Amino acid sequence: MQNPEQFDYIIVGAGSAGCVLANRLTEDRNTRVLLVESGGSDNSIFIKMPTALSYPLNTPKYNWDYVSAAEPYLDGRQLDCHRGKVLGGSSSINGMVYVRGHAKDFDEWQTLGANNWDYAHCLPYFKKAESWIGASDEYRADDGPLAVNLGNEMRNPLYQAFVDAGVEAGYNATADYNGKMQEGFGPMQMTVKNGVRCSTSLAYLKPAKSRPNLTIRTKVLVEKVLLENKRAVGIQYQHKGKIHKVMAQREVILSAGSIGSPHLLQLSGIGPADVLKEAGIELKHELPGVGQNLQDHLEFYFQYRCKQPITLNGKLDPISKLLIGMRWFFFKTGLGASNHFESCGFIRSRAGVEWPDMQYHFLPAAMRYDGKSAFDGHGFQVHIGHNKPSSRGWVRALSADPGEKPWIQFNYLQEQADIEGFRACVRLTREILNQPAMDPFRAGEIQPGEHIVSNAEIDAFVRSNAESAYHPSCSCKMGEDVMAVVDSETRVHGIHALRVVDSSVFPSITNGNLNSPTIMLAERASDLIKGVAPLAAESVEVGLIEGWQSAQRNGVPRRVVDRA
């Protein structure tokens, strides 16, 4: 405590962003970096095996086990908010789905005040990060740290049937939704390398661990950022019952995620004055937007019975699981090497929406995403959600105790636009799954159920069954308005030498899973932190459906399902 350690940079959180930062900042061997993480090692077969994703997702050892407060517009239900607490963070427990988001999502960031975070400036960093199994072009690259592939390449016929059904319903097919055209149906991409989960711990941290200028400390609980005269000078943390202080000669960087980062700022006395006062925390710097603007993706499962015994529901017995596990253990192939989300779709909920605001993950099984229960018999499902919500929530510290979890309130479906978006989810999905391509497989609707037809019935079903897709974001938004927390270089407004680099700084949530844009954000922030010239912006053609102003899709469905 008398002579605390000194580093150039301190990074709080070894997750999707923190591992990227640790790698990039230590490329300069004269830069000393401390990376601290509350969790421990990611050296677990259940983390590495893609098909076992439900195990780390539901294991307290690897998960913060956050739970929302009672959600007033979801019948007072409390929803799980899983966040990784392990090297690799949420990239070590997520579904490994690789979606950048739509190009227009990043142009939207620019309009919301995040200068030079439009798609043209973000694209070079998406490319820098990835090693895409397909051909590299103006949209894709094949020499980055993060492996991206197509799993088992849709060998189960249900995957292609779903894509064909989307086309029959009047939507286009898209071979690469991370390329020119997101809108449409096609194969889904995943972050898996040679049959193993490619977390940021594997892709970024592992190559950097041997560098003498990188120090990694795990199983620590950061209590606060140390401030002197509006400058971040270090952190204070707990480890094995003792309090430690370490100092940063250049900067402290928070990469603790959309729950952890705003909570830690508030514990440090940075945030809304009324929130800190109620929590009994001394106000050091008033910043009203800390913890506000919280957004997430809500989804539900549209499930059908399957006529043919070809679904994963037939692989849930102990013998089948053992055989799958053995093949993966020895060869890193087979069903164990996939997350099983191998086809997908992105569509617009109504005419007049410029780019997709709905996303499909198709699964050749009828079961919960967290693996807690499965349909008794053969079935399949699509995860569907309205991905551009208008509702906003918050993260608020309840006390000065860093061990007490914050108050998390999403306010899902608070806004009428979100309710109407989910009505479209039910009606449009039912129409897609009732196209001729699904006839050989579809054997009756499990849920919502064919009796769920009216607006009132759909609303009640969604309130009772929707779940988080585990994409909290935007709680320390980037921008220049009074509610912005960081500027366009991720620096906390009003505090020197303090940045936030993770999905909490998104100005708005993207249309897709958040791991890829979080990694992109950290790649670009690394250059901003180092003070090097950012990669040159790349202007490319962005695919939009012609006539989007007056049409919800670009074709006529082969079979109309009218159950309004």
Side-chain angles (χ1 to χ4, degrees), residues 32-54:
R32 296 165 301 146
V33 174
L34 171 66
L35 176 66
V36 297
E37 166 59 41
S38 291
S41 170
D42 60 333
N43 188 23
S44 165
I45 189 174
F46 296 113
I47 289 177
K48 295 178 180 179
M49 185 192 301
T51 195
L53 63 93
S54 66

Side-chain angles (χ1 to χ4, degrees), residues 165-172 431 435 553-560:
V167 174
E168 289 175 342
Y171 305 96
N172 62 291
E431 184 172 59
Q435 293 304 311
R553 66 192 92 179
N554 61 332
V556 178
R558 285 188 59 186
R559 181 180 293 163
V560 176

Side-chain angles (χ1 to χ4, degrees), residues 98-113:
Y98 184 79
V99 182
R100 292 176 176 178
H102 196 280
K104 289 290 184 177
D105 289 326
F106 306 99
D107 293 344
E108 182 178 72
W109 287 9
Q110 177 87 8
T111 66
L112 293 173

Side-chain angles (χ1 to χ4, degrees), residues 3 11 14 26 67-68 90 184 210 231 268 327 436 448 551:
N3 295 291
I11 303 168
T26 56
V67 178
S68 79
S90 294
S210 61
R231 180 182 180 86
S268 306
R327 179 175 176 180

